[in-house]
């Protein structure tokens, strides 16, 4: 199985055997091309595939899974929109099949993480579960009655659910989206705006909050309140048994999960109360998810 995780800046690729063992891995720069970005990405994954064939001459891949950020229609295999990679309506599933001459799948980053956690990770015991990726942006993947639900590509956009209609303008054009308060990018920006101090990541803001910095505490608490509110709305609408939280900010551990569970508990009444727990598969879960998707079409 070949798996490719293409992002703005870098592309990870892996070769898996049929048992799910990762045999080969590469981390390269994503080619930058404003004129034909899809063609340059296809050339890149063809080169990466050739390299794996050289390194592992006895392994013959039977399928390929490509993932990328943005709005992706998994069933049609089309990238509807990716602002960071500058493409719209690109039929990547077909392009990958044509280029590599292998059955292929195409999905987005959040759904690949969700697939890996649902099949092999923290979401495995549940049939109704939401896997939230809490990183620079906040995205999610939904599993309803044991099946992935992608809503024609638009499901899981929890980062653009409104938590404060009078709030800050979001990149999407709306106001007060969850991403403007709780994403890793927002935590860094809001702290810098309040204090004038540049920080490198949300973890730095949390570290400052831990050391009694009141501005950092305020920014972190606002993020938790907004995240709990958005999750309570998901709980009210689809009644998941569990919410699994993945991504860099989720590594905060109890400092995230203990207050988040308490706030969520305060917001819910008669609803089914989801168990809120951390993802367990780590940063390469994207590649694992891409490979699992690929395996499903062999
Ligand atoms: Zn938005």
């Amino acid at each position: 199985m070949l798996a490719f995780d293409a992002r703005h800046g870098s592309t990870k690729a892996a070769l898996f055997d049929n048992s799910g063992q990762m045999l080969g891995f590469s981390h390269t720069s994503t080619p930058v091309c404003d004129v034909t970005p899809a063609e340059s990405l296809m050339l890149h994954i063809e080169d990466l595939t050739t390299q794996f064939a050289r390194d592992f001459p006895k392994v013959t891949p039977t399928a390929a899974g490509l993932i990328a950020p943005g709005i992706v229609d998994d069933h049609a295999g089309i990238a509807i929109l990716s602002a960071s990679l500058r493409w719209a309506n690109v039929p990547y599933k077909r392009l990958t099949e044509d280029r590599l001459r292998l059955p292929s799948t195409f999905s987005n980053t959040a759904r690949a993480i969700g697939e890996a956690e649902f099949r092999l990770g923290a979401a495995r015991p549940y049939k109704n579960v939401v896997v939230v990726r809490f990183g620079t942006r906040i995205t999610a993947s939904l599993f309803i009655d044991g099946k992935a639900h992608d809503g024609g590509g638009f499901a899981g956009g929890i980062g653009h659910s409104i938590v404060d209609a009078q709030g800050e303008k979001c990149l999407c054009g709306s106001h007060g989206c969850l991403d403007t308060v709780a994403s890793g990018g927002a935590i860094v920006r809001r702290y810098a705006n309040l204090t004038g101090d540049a920080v490198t990541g949300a973890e730095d803001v949390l570290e400052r909050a831990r050391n009694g910095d009141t501005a950092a505490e305020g920014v972190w608490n606002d993020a938790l309140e907004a995240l709990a509110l958005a999750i309570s709305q998901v709980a009210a609408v689809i009644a998941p048994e569990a919410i699994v939280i993945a991504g860099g900010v989720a590594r905060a551990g109890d400092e995230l999960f203990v207050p988040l569970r308490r706030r969520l508990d305060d917001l819910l009444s008669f609803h089914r109360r989801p168990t809120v727990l951390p993802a367990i598969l780590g940063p390469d879960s994207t590649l694992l998810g891409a490979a699992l998707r690929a395996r499903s079409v062999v």
Side-chain angles (χ1 to χ4, degrees):
M1 233 61 62
L2 289 160
F4 304 98
D5 173 5
R7 304 191 192 186
H8 179 67
S10 69
T11 298
K12 288 186 196 172
L15 176 68
F16 289 88
D17 68 14
N18 287 335
S19 71
Q21 185 76 27
M22 190 189 282
L23 304 172
F25 173 82
S26 69
H27 196 178
T28 51
S29 295
T30 303
V32 178
C33 175
D34 289 342
V35 185
T36 54
E39 174 62 15
S40 57
L41 180 61
M42 287 298 107
L43 281 170
H44 190 50
I45 69 166
E46 187 176 26
D47 286 347
L48 295 170
T49 302
T50 304
Q51 190 58 51
F52 282 134
R54 277 195 206 110
D55 294 346
F56 301 92
K58 292 182 181 164
V59 179
T60 306
T62 51
L66 171 64
I67 61 164
I71 301 169
V72 170
D73 181 335
D74 289 18
H75 295 287
I78 291 173
I80 297 172
L81 185 68
S82 171
S84 61
L85 289 164
R86 301 182 191 177
W87 58 49
N89 296 315
V90 182
Y92 272 118
K93 175 176 154 43
R94 184 175 58 73
L95 292 178
T96 307
E97 284 173 341
D98 290 351
R99 183 67 59 147
L100 302 184
R101 295 185 194 87
L102 288 172
S104 302
T105 59
F106 178 55
S107 184
N108 75 2
T109 317
R111 271 185 229 120
I113 293 169
E115 184 83 17
E117 291 291 335
F118 184 67
R119 302 277 168 218
L120 305 171
R124 199 173 173 185
Y126 308 102
K127 287 195 160 184
N128 292 282
V129 55
V130 179
V131 181
V132 177
R133 181 182 176 224
F134 188 4
T136 309
R137 306 247 176 278
I138 304 175
T139 52
S141 54
L142 313 181
F143 296 85
I144 298 175
D145 291 336
K147 288 185 183 157
H149 173 76
D150 79 348
F154 292 89
I158 190 172
H160 300 285
S161 61
I162 311 290
V163 292
D164 175 7
Q166 311 303 318
E168 197 180 309
K169 189 167 186 185
C170 180
L171 289 173
C172 76
S174 191
H175 283 82
C177 294
L178 178 63
D179 261 3
T180 67
V181 186
S183 65
I187 290 170
V188 167
R189 189 183 63 250
R190 296 182 87 230
Y191 181 76
N193 288 346
L194 278 174
T195 62
D197 290 357
V199 283
T200 54
E203 289 85 351
D204 281 0
V205 177
L206 182 58
E207 174 69 28
R208 289 177 185 221
R210 204 177 288 138
N211 293 325
D213 179 331
T214 52
E217 279 174 19
V219 168
W220 179 247
N221 284 332
D222 287 350
L224 285 174
E225 292 286 353
L227 188 61
L229 179 60
I231 290 176
S232 75
Q233 291 160 344
V234 172
V237 176
I238 62 167
E241 301 152 83
I243 305 279
V244 172
I245 302 187
V249 186
R251 286 197 283 277
D254 282 353
E255 282 171 301
L256 167 67
F257 286 94
V258 171
L260 180 62
R261 288 179 188 127
R262 190 175 61 239
R263 282 172 164 86
L264 183 61
D265 209 41
D266 289 345
L267 290 168
L268 297 176
S269 56
F270 65 90
H271 313 87
R272 170 145 78 177
R273 283 163 195 265
T275 303
V276 180
L277 67 169
I280 59 174
L281 292 175
D284 290 334
S285 62
T286 50
L287 290 168
L288 208 48
L292 285 164
R293 286 280 169 110
R295 195 171 70 177
S296 72
V297 293
V298 175

